[in-house]
Amino acid sequence: MIDSETSLARRTVLGALGIGGIGAIAAAAMPAQAATAIATEGGEIWSSEYWTKKGDIPLWMFRKRIGAPKAGEPARPVVFFVHGSSVTSRVFDLNVPGKGEYSVMNEFARYGFDVWTMDHENYGKSGRTSGNADIASGAEDLKVAVELIARETGQKKLHFVGESSGALRAGAFAMQQPESVDRLVFAAFTYKGEGSPTLTKRAEQVEYYRTHNMRKRDRAMISSIATRDKPGTSDPAAIEVLADVEMQFGDQIPTGTYLDMTANLPVVHPEKVLAPVLLVRGEYDGIATVADLEEFYNKLPNGDRQFIILPGTAHSVALAINRQLFWHVTRAFLTMPTPIAT
């Protein structure tokens, strides 16, 4: 399957408040591999669908890169985007006519990465079960995904970029299988959830999440993702396109990640996350306070870590009007050279 879209989005200069940097890596931390992505703007974007299985459950995967794979070529660094609670992996590959580039997969393919994503159990094209697709289930999905990617690319160590509960899925996987993780980007992440207005409101329905494995997810709910924190930080046109592509999968979505985020936090324990970590928070994101994320950041064992706040941005950094800021800080972190002095 070929995607010939090659229009380039305007790059913007980062105007973010950041804390953190590179320091001595703790003795328990896993060293990161140096990324070797080479910008390939101007080439044609190639894409392909894949299927893998978690037991008997079929899981859909999707890949984009510049040019089709060729035998004998050098392997490109792999970046895997992990979706959140209320959307599928389509959130990372939107086409919004007249609004510039919205596909983060296209953008990172142009940067020289081999870009992958998947629909988790009970999402999108992947198999339907009686489960609630919680964070633990998502981590198991990622385990079989990396096995397929290793076979297809030869790469056994991947970068992961997760948004919202996708960051929790990536973090849970990183705790269990650190040897498969190069660098981690946690966007719209939450640690303990203390002081979060979004989770406080969501917790009013916690008994429903305990007793039901599915919840309603209609167009209004999808629209609220972009408006609940700070209207005007996402373009309504992009949200309409997202709703169009999401509603093809129906108006029901699993409750598992909502239950975890309202009743079971923390599900990612910083002391057990050994890889380099970039925490990305939108200035107006209601899913986690700065204090909540600072506590997580300060407990990370790897000195190669950063915490960046994106101005004029709310919960969904992938759909933000200022999404180029997210691209910039993520690309910079994933292509960080390996420290010489440690």
Side-chain angles (χ1 to χ4, degrees):
M1 181 169 63
I2 302 296
D3 183 344
S4 61
E5 180 181 357
T6 58
S7 62
L8 294 176
R10 288 184 60 192
R11 310 297 199 270
T12 62
V13 178
L14 174 66
L17 169 65
I19 51 179
I22 303 177
I25 299 177
M30 299 288 289
Q33 296 177 340
T36 56
I38 299 173
T40 52
E41 287 93 340
E44 187 174 26
I45 295 177
W46 172 92
S47 63
S48 185
E49 297 177 286
Y50 297 80
W51 288 92
T52 189
K53 278 194 170 184
K54 181 178 64 175
D56 294 330
I57 305 167
L59 299 174
W60 183 82
M61 298 176 61
F62 188 56
R63 177 188 189 186
K64 281 193 165 184
R65 46 171 277 163
I66 297 295
K70 297 178 182 178
E73 69 177 356
R76 300 177 192 180
V78 174
V79 58
F80 194 106
F81 286 91
V82 190
H83 73 74
S85 299
S86 300
V87 294
T88 68
S89 61
R90 306 315 177 284
V91 71
F92 301 124
D93 193 36
L94 288 186
N95 177 26
V96 185
K99 297 294 183 177
E101 184 63 271
Y102 264 88
S103 170
V104 69
M105 296 188 73
N106 284 350
E107 193 70 16
F108 276 74
R110 295 188 188 107
Y111 295 158
F113 291 94
D114 198 336
V115 188
W116 293 73
T117 190
M118 76 184 308
D119 286 343
H120 287 283
E121 176 187 337
N122 285 330
Y123 286 86
K125 293 185 178 181
S126 288
R128 296 300 190 266
T129 72
S130 59
N132 68 354
D134 59 8
I135 299 299
S137 170
E140 294 300 313
D141 296 341
L142 294 177
K143 288 179 182 179
V144 297
V146 299
E147 292 174 358
L148 184 146
I149 291 172
R151 292 194 299 270
E152 292 292 327
T153 69
Q155 295 285 60
K156 297 182 179 180
K157 204 167 188 179
L158 287 56
H159 302 307
F160 288 87
V161 180
E163 186 177 53
S164 193
S165 66
L168 297 178
R169 290 181 173 113
F173 171 78
M175 290 192 299
Q176 297 171 29
Q177 201 162 307
E179 69 278 5
S180 299
V181 179
D182 196 337
R183 302 177 81 82
L184 291 164
V185 178
F186 294 156
F189 181 79
T190 188
Y191 176 34
K192 295 181 178 178
E194 296 171 351
S196 163
T198 297
L199 296 183
T200 298
K201 179 67 175 176
R202 195 175 293 173
E204 295 173 2
Q205 303 296 320
V206 67
E207 290 308 315
Y208 182 90
Y209 308 143
R210 291 186 194 278
T211 56
H212 295 76
N213 285 347
M214 302 294 286
R215 60 183 172 87
K216 189 171 183 178
R217 190 276 317 251
D218 56 13
R219 293 187 72 94
M221 190 276 147
I222 294 171
S223 296
S224 73
I225 298 171
T227 60
R228 71 189 184 208
D229 296 323
K230 180 75 171 179
T233 54
S234 292
D235 192 321
I239 307 306
E240 285 302 309
V241 170
L242 177 65
D244 288 342
V245 299
E246 290 292 334
M247 293 311 295
Q248 67 180 304
F249 302 115
D251 66 354
Q252 299 292 310
I253 211 79
T255 58
T257 56
Y258 268 31
L259 178 60
D260 280 336
M261 296 169 80
T262 54
N264 299 322
L265 291 178
V267 294
V268 179
H269 302 280
E271 301 89 346
K272 298 180 180 180
V273 179
L274 306 183
V277 172
L278 168 63
L279 285 175
V280 179
R281 180 185 187 271
E283 178 183 6
Y284 302 109
D285 189 5
I287 203 76
T289 64
V290 172
D292 185 58
L293 297 180
E294 284 179 335
E295 182 179 354
F296 182 87
Y297 174 86
N298 289 333
K299 292 179 179 180
L300 289 167
N302 197 318
D304 187 352
R305 63 188 189 270
Q306 298 179 33
F307 176 23
I308 292 179
I309 295 173
L310 303 183
T313 304
H315 182 64
S316 181
V317 295
L319 295 178
I321 292 173
N322 290 337
R323 61 199 177 279
Q324 291 92 343
L325 302 183
F326 173 55
W327 302 345
H328 178 96
V329 299
T330 299
R331 180 187 187 183
F333 184 73
L334 297 186
T335 56
M336 186 82 70
T338 301
I340 297 173
T342 60

